[in-house]
Amino acid sequence: MKTLNLIIEDHQEKLYLKIANAIRKAIESGTVTPAEQLPSARSLAEQLAVNRHTIMAAYNELIAQGWVETKQRQGYWVAQVLPIYCSLENKVKQQGNTNKHNWRVIKSNQEEFSRPANDYAFNFAGGNPDIELFPFNEFRGFINEALNRPAIKELNYGENSGYSEFINQVSTYLRRVRSIKDKEIIVVNGSQEALYILSQVLIKAGDKVAVENLGYRPAWAALRNAGAELMGINQTEQGIDVDEFEYLIQQHNIKLLYLTPLHQYPTTTTLSTEKRVKIYQLAQQYNIPIIEDDYDHEYHYNSQPLPPMAANDPSGLVIYLSSFSKIMFPGIRLGIVAVDKELAPHIVSYRTLMNHKANVLQQDAISRWMKDGGFERHLRKSTRRYQKRRECMVAVLNSFINDGIKIKFTNPKGGMALWIDVGQQAMEIAELAKSKGIFLLAENAFHLHQENNENRFIRLGFAGQSEEKIKQGLMLLKPLLIHCNR
Ligand SMILES: Cc1ncc(COP(=O)(O)O)c(C=O)c1O
């Protein structure tokens, strides 16, 4: 039942006219807008405690004046074209006054993260899952269960680290599949929320934070927003240059390290065991927390991947992040922080400032899905699909190499994207590709600083679209690779 807030004036007039007058004023002031449906005569009559015929008379009066329309007796709508130029919006336009408040904005996000990739016929964005593979029907059953047997107590305000049964399921999963134990689990609305909270909790203005260069801009933005000064560490083929990290520590009093060790973002390299050991040692010696962003751990194709750094964390300094954006879809907004028990309450209490309750209904449905085994079934199925897509992309690119196109890449053991050396003009390729309906990113999108950079690599995601689309998109890209490669 629609409600409409009306101010009925108290003067000597028939009631239906006073009501008609009040509805007209609601239209004039923009409370209801052209083409918007109005409450039915019955519901407005109930709301105003008057007879339904009085409301019908008021509506008929407004129809006669051109303010209201009725469609085959299905109800009443505000007229599409109003009898006079009168809505609030139009009044403002007439006065030419579009910015009368002059807001005093103290802090705003200077970074742009528009993600326009969905608008392209061929979407090679690196981290996109194929959402059509998600078993929506199966999952509906678990949402229904969560509604049929709701966790009444937990749905109310209270505990804010996540729904207890979901935390149980996630802890078991992380222990069994990723060997993560002895950490406290906090559920967040996606890894980005965790990155924001961690930046606020661990960083003060002017602190130096070491990050991978090339790397993940949204994480940098959260850190910078907290006042961090970012110090880039260059990549080698086995992950970050650890000597450079040590040098930075000695020169700059580094307060935090942000890493994507399993499939480095964007280069896809895996941080070697030797480098991990050295990083643990340095972190322990200088008491530097490490944020380990394990955003696509699920997808590995040839053998078991290295366990996360958080699994063998001698000093407890690793803060582990995992996301459901790749396993389910980004719109689920769900992420996990696994962290030392002493740090956990600080994260939860800071999160309470932003949001003082987890989405228990959603987590209830997912924990039922996990308990049933559906979650891991979906993972196995999508991993098999993504493996085929990776093989398809690799085969097409190898055929390009056979045709004399000078590109180089290593086939990653996991993840969702390839990192391809096109020799030169990577940025130009990405730009020209757009005019052919192809979205891809070149290495400039991942540089910490924009000046004096190389322009050699493009990143091609293989998970998010079918093999057919991969082939078609790459065939369209081929002439650009030839053209820019000469
Ligand atoms: C490096 C990295 N971390 C995290 C994420 C996931 O972020 P979120 O969980 O906020 O969707 C992504 C997704 O693109 C990513 O590339």
Side-chain angles (χ1 to χ4, degrees):
M1 184 168 112
K2 273 176 175 280
T3 43
L4 178 60
N5 208 4
L6 293 177
I7 300 165
I8 300 180
E9 285 170 8
D10 189 17
H11 46 69
Q12 296 291 319
E13 213 174 6
K14 289 196 169 133
L15 181 58
Y16 84 94
L17 288 177
K18 285 199 278 189
I19 294 172
N21 215 14
I23 298 172
R24 183 176 53 74
K25 286 201 170 137
I27 299 171
E28 281 181 322
S29 67
T31 306
V32 274
T33 53
E36 187 175 338
Q37 188 168 18
L38 290 158
S40 69
R42 184 186 299 276
S43 72
L44 197 52
E46 258 177 51
Q47 197 187 312
L48 299 177
V50 299
N51 190 298
R52 186 161 62 94
H53 293 284
T54 310
I55 303 295
M56 284 163 69
Y59 275 147
N60 285 338
E61 176 66 23
L62 291 168
I63 292 169
Q65 293 177 16
W67 291 96
V68 169
E69 291 167 353
T70 180
K71 295 179 195 164
Q72 293 157 0
R73 301 187 174 197
Q74 281 175 4
Y76 300 97
W77 278 261
V78 178
Q80 297 220 5
V81 181
L82 299 178
I84 53 167
Y85 199 59
C86 64
S87 73
L88 181 64
E89 194 188 356
N90 286 335
K91 273 186 187 155
V92 170
K93 272 192 201 145
Q94 272 176 333
Q95 290 156 7
N97 186 356
T98 49
N99 185 19
K100 62 185 165 84
H101 295 302
N102 196 13
W103 295 105
R104 195 172 76 98
V105 175
I106 305 299
K107 202 173 191 184
S108 67
N109 176 19
Q110 301 300 316
E111 309 261 345
E112 243 194 71
F113 313 120
S114 62
R115 302 205 182 209
N118 290 339
D119 302 339
Y120 291 81
F122 303 96
N123 182 353
F124 289 100
N128 279 8
D130 187 343
I131 297 172
E132 285 180 24
L133 297 182
F134 186 75
F136 288 100
N137 268 336
E138 176 185 307
F139 190 63
R140 182 178 301 122
F142 297 103
I143 292 185
N144 285 342
E145 267 189 32
L147 287 170
N148 291 340
R149 273 171 274 150
I152 296 284
K153 201 164 153 232
E154 301 226 26
L155 282 164
N156 214 333
Y157 288 117
E159 178 54 46
N160 194 24
S161 50
Y163 172 48
S164 57
E165 185 47 35
F166 181 62
I167 291 183
N168 285 343
Q169 289 299 323
V170 168
S171 309
T172 312
Y173 176 74
L174 288 183
R175 187 168 0 92
R176 186 163 47 78
V177 180
R178 300 190 196 166
S179 314
I180 294 178
K181 323 179 261 301
D182 308 323
K183 298 249 183 217
E184 196 106 342
I185 306 283
I186 300 160
V187 187
V188 286
N189 297 327
S191 331
Q192 189 61 27
E193 185 179 279
L195 288 164
Y196 177 78
I197 296 171
L198 289 166
S199 305
Q200 297 296 320
V201 169
L202 297 175
I203 295 301
K204 70 172 168 32
D207 281 353
K208 310 270 196 313
V209 174
V211 297
E212 299 159 321
N213 184 27
L214 315 160
Y216 183 54
R217 282 208 170 141
W220 299 345
L223 289 160
R224 281 190 176 123
N225 183 272
E229 192 181 323
L230 304 184
M231 321 285 318
I233 312 171
N234 289 311
Q235 296 293 317
T236 71
E237 282 182 7
Q238 281 80 41
I240 57 163
D241 182 334
V242 179
D243 293 336
E244 207 178 305
F245 177 44
E246 186 166 14
Y247 174 80
L248 284 181
I249 294 174
Q250 284 155 2
Q251 298 297 311
H252 296 287
N253 188 16
I254 298 291
K255 294 289 187 219
L256 181 70
L257 170 66
Y258 168 76
L259 279 184
T260 51
L262 188 62
H263 306 126
Q264 200 275 333
Y265 185 92
T267 64
T268 77
T269 53
T270 300
L271 190 69
S272 66
T273 315
E274 300 75 53
K275 282 182 187 267
R276 288 173 176 222
V277 171
K278 187 79 208 267
I279 292 170
Y280 285 131
Q281 282 166 355
L282 288 168
Q284 191 159 11
Q285 185 180 349
Y286 294 95
N287 194 29
I288 301 172
I290 302 167
I291 297 180
E292 176 179 31
D293 184 351
D294 200 18
Y295 60 103
D296 66 354
H297 188 108
E298 298 71 28
Y299 301 115
H300 42 88
Y301 308 115
N302 302 348
S303 55
Q304 280 300 311
L306 279 178
M309 289 182 75
N312 307 301
D313 177 14
S315 50
L317 281 165
V318 179
I319 300 166
Y320 180 78
L321 304 188
S322 173
S323 169
F324 278 63
S325 292
K326 319 282 169 183
I327 308 171
M328 293 180 76
F329 34 81
I332 195 74
R333 300 320 303 140
L334 192 61
I336 303 295
V337 185
V339 71
D340 180 67
K341 290 185 172 52
E342 279 178 34
L343 182 58
H346 297 280
I347 297 174
V348 175
S349 79
Y350 196 90
R351 205 273 287 275
T352 305
L353 294 176
M354 301 163 63
N355 195 346
H356 49 173
K357 188 68 194 176
N359 185 337
V360 170
L361 184 64
Q362 174 209 60
Q363 290 172 29
D364 188 2
I366 299 176
S367 53
R368 288 169 194 272
W369 185 46
M370 291 178 91
K371 210 166 172 179
D372 165 82
F375 170 77
E376 287 184 59
R377 262 197 313 278
H378 169 59
L379 273 183
R380 281 193 297 276
K381 190 173 151 204
S382 43
T383 304
R384 279 197 300 273
R385 280 289 182 93
Y386 294 168
Q387 178 165 14
K388 287 217 174 91
R389 291 175 182 183
R390 182 195 61 159
E391 281 158 15
C392 165
M393 184 176 273
V394 166
V396 177
L397 292 173
N398 278 334
S399 77
F400 289 0
I401 294 173
N402 289 338
D403 291 345
I405 301 178
K406 294 190 208 76
I407 53 172
K408 283 189 266 174
F409 61 93
T410 37
N411 192 353
K413 296 192 185 79
M416 302 162 94
L418 298 188
W419 182 244
I420 300 157
D421 183 349
V422 293
Q424 58 183 348
Q425 300 199 50
M427 233 166 99
E428 291 74 5
I429 291 173
E431 253 337 284
L432 288 169
K434 283 187 186 153
S435 61
K436 297 194 163 206
I438 303 170
F439 181 86
L440 62 97
L441 288 174
E443 66 166 284
N444 62 302
F446 312 104
H447 283 294
L448 184 59
H449 305 291
Q450 288 308 306
E451 65 281 359
N452 303 327
N453 290 312
E454 289 199 291
N455 185 19
R456 276 176 40 197
F457 286 87
I458 58 172
R459 184 169 149 95
L460 291 183
F462 53 77
Q465 54 190 352
S466 68
E467 282 145 78
E468 208 40 52
K469 278 252 168 148
I470 290 175
K471 282 185 209 155
Q472 285 173 10
L474 289 180
M475 291 321 282
L476 283 173
L477 196 63
K478 189 175 179 184
L480 299 184
L481 292 173
I482 298 172
H483 175 74
C484 293
N485 214 239
R486 272 199 283 258

